[in-house]
Amino acid sequence: MTTPTILPAWQALAEHRREMEGQHLRHWFARDSGRFQRFSLELGDIVFDFSKNLITDKTLGLLLQLAEQCGLAARIGAMFAGEKINRTENRAVLHIALRNRSERPIWVNGQDVMPKVRQVLSKMRRFTEQVRGGQWRGFSGKPITDVVNLGIGGSDLGPRMVAQALTPYHNKDLKVHFVANVDESDLLETLKGLNQETTLFLVASKTFTTQETMANANSAREWLLTGAGGEQSAIAQHFVAISTNRGAVQGFGIDPENMFEFWDWVGGRYSLWSAVGLSIALAVGMDRFEELLEGAFEVDEHFRTAPFSRNIPVIMGLLGIWYRNFWDAASCAILPYDHYLRYFPDHLQQLDMESNGKRVDLEGKVVSYATGPIVWGQVGTNGQHSFFQLLHQGTHLVPCDFIVAAQSHHELGGHHAMLLANCLAQAEALMKGKSEDEVRTELAFLELPKDHLESLVAAKTFPGNRPSNLFLVKKLTPKTLGSLIAFYEHKVFVQGTIWNINSFDQMGVELGKQLAGEILPALQDGEIGQHDASTRALIEFCRRWRGK
Ligand code: F6P
């Protein structure tokens, strides 16, 4: 492992970045008819167009050298071999085992984990078939109509996003809901329309200690028991757990028979492929869930075996490094042009920022270079009418990822063609821009005072040269969705490797949790304790206004 900035390729990239001054993407496109062919890749039913990036063949060559010099190949090998690459937690990182559809064993501590993975998949299949088929009954003998996933972070964002994205595949007789926040409004608003007799709760928590999830699970249990006349035996029919912590699950009162296991080598934000995806499987059925795994597996095989120059996640990761470290781009935008993908940016936010929002390297040294970007975004075309102004004419460079499907699940007039046209147009507009001369020609017919004309020309000019990737998917299916998510997971891995950081711990979330634990009793009526003047004053206001 080494500091990337001292590598020859890093230094060559810094020099090359200076050569880029004054160059423009629109000229590169005008001069080079083969640009799309060279800078795009296909996998299954997905095209990855990265031709609208601020790169030349030389840039790509240097970025690929950087990947080699950082030892990326060895690091990919180490992950797939089950080595404990999550050094601080001394754990393997094996979400790839959850979707390993081959016969290849995957070893952790001398044990093949695949038999256990397959066992849990079979248990998920039996359970989903029972619930979806109406054989799994609530305490009064009625079939389940509503499933509520109680979880937060990785135990919520991934399954919530996928369940939403696969809405066209849902079983119409079974509704799936997600409650994450400790804010009681989340739980209460969800429970409002539900019936205790026909509601099933999935308590999804890797640790089974997370404050928000346990508070929601406890309140949900009370709500259930109110409907079941206090009959404790009802819990077994209405609560299942998804966790690595068998003891805590039993302590909560859930029958271990109703527990779906996963393992410490599955990180929370990488867990939707495990039993944490049970809500997805209940919504769309186990066959569809396995198609999701297939899509991810196809990408895993591609990532593991394709040469870096043809490797989609490697190129995604390298492009991100180019902008973050050589163009000072602090953020990147995720812009799915697909209503069903509207939670995709939220999921990627946790995936990327919890993984690569790190300030020390693998040896514990504070890094001297930028690491993970701020990830944000929104569904298109909605975003065009809010923040796209800044993307086109603001002073920030924001690399964008567009995602759009060629085929829709519906056919309503010309809607889908309009959606596609807007998506392609935005990527083209960011790239090309509109020159001052083009604006002057457009305004030639206006008779305006000179000052006004000049300010109008300036305001209407688009610099262009703003980079984007575009994923064109044939159709958003479980399989293509699985592939899309896996592309981003491996992109994050590539970047973490180059930055020499641990993408698989999340120590930065702990301090706030610890302080909340200290503030909580102070808010009730306990001692206020040792806090700064601002926090003390705010606690006092809360107590006064809450009558404590
Ligand atoms: O607080 C962050 C975090 O630890 C995430 O990494 C994780 O996905 C989430 O909390 C939920 O954790 P758990 O599944 O253990 O409840």
Side-chain angles (χ1 to χ4, degrees), residues 111 167 184 264-265 277 354 438 451 467 474 488 512 520 522:
Q111 261 206 332
T167 302
E184 65 259 38
D264 71 356
W265 41 262
E354 201 167 69
E438 287 168 318
D451 282 3
K474 186 172 175 191
Y488 281 94
L520 185 61

Side-chain angles (χ1 to χ4, degrees), residues 152-155 205-207 210 213 268-269 350 354 506 509 513:
I152 197 162
S155 300
S205 175
K206 181 173 171 182
T207 53
T210 303
T213 303
R269 51 197 175 273
Q350 188 202 14
E354 201 167 69
Q506 54 283 321
V509 301
K513 288 185 191 172

Side-chain angles (χ1 to χ4, degrees), residues 141-409:
K142 294 189 182 157
I144 300 299
T145 56
D146 293 89
V147 172
V148 183
N149 187 80
L150 305 173
I152 197 162
S155 300
D156 167 71
L157 289 163
R160 185 193 290 258
M161 178 275 286
V162 174
Q164 181 65 47
L166 300 181
T167 302
Y169 299 89
H170 281 205
N171 173 347
K172 302 290 171 274
D173 300 325
L174 190 65
K175 290 202 181 57
V176 179
H177 313 261
F178 292 85
V179 173
N181 203 334
V182 74
D183 180 343
E184 65 259 38
S185 312
D186 195 359
L187 182 67
L188 291 176
E189 287 299 332
T190 305
L191 296 184
K192 243 183 197 171
L194 305 189
N195 177 351
Q196 283 99 335
E197 293 173 87
T198 56
T199 300
L200 174 71
F201 292 98
L202 314 179
V203 187
S205 175
K206 181 173 171 182
T207 53
F208 228 74
T209 56
T210 303
Q211 187 189 50
E212 294 90 334
T213 303
M214 297 330 293
N216 280 325
N218 283 317
S219 300
R221 184 174 50 188
E222 273 175 39
W223 176 83
L224 176 85
L225 290 174
T226 316
E231 192 47 69
Q232 297 285 329
S233 62
I235 294 174
Q237 287 140 291
H238 293 268
F239 275 85
V240 303
I242 302 149
S243 186
T244 58
N245 187 348
R246 185 168 286 270
V249 168
Q250 261 175 298
F252 180 85
I254 296 180
D255 184 346
E257 271 302 295
N258 295 345
M259 171 175 162
F260 293 81
E261 196 187 2
F262 66 113
W263 308 274
D264 71 356
W265 41 262
V266 182
R269 51 197 175 273
Y270 301 88
S271 65
L272 69 91
W273 320 99
S274 71
V276 170
L278 192 59
S279 49
I280 305 169
L282 284 163
V284 301
M286 204 55 198
D287 289 347
R288 300 297 194 190
F289 184 74
E290 294 202 359
E291 285 166 27
L292 182 83
L293 303 183
E294 296 281 351
F297 175 63
E298 193 169 296
V299 171
D300 294 343
E301 289 301 275
H302 166 82
F303 182 52
R304 196 170 66 81
T305 60
F308 287 173
S309 60
R310 313 289 305 157
N311 194 313
I312 296 175
V314 170
I315 292 185
M316 290 168 75
L318 291 172
L319 290 169
I321 298 278
W322 178 228
Y323 295 121
R324 185 73 192 100
N325 298 108
F326 300 91
W327 291 80
D328 204 20
S331 83
C332 59
I334 307 295
L335 307 168
Y337 274 60
D338 196 312
H339 180 68
Y340 292 128
L341 282 180
R342 62 189 179 279
Y343 296 143
F344 201 63
D346 301 25
H347 174 63
L348 293 195
Q349 231 166 28
Q350 188 202 14
L351 173 65
D352 201 322
M353 293 168 77
E354 201 167 69
S355 296
N356 286 343
K358 306 286 164 67
R359 59 183 276 283
V360 294
D361 68 14
L362 287 171
E363 285 74 40
K365 288 197 311 288
V366 174
V367 298
S368 59
Y369 43 88
T371 61
I374 298 160
V375 178
W376 61 285
Q378 207 203 92
V379 78
T381 60
N382 306 20
Q384 290 175 204
H385 301 274
S386 72
F387 56 80
F388 270 53
Q389 165 65 41
L390 180 147
L391 299 182
H392 286 287
Q393 292 187 312
T395 53
H396 298 266
L397 177 75
V398 185
C400 298
D401 280 4
F402 292 93
I403 303 164
V404 69
Q407 297 176 13
S408 168
H409 284 281

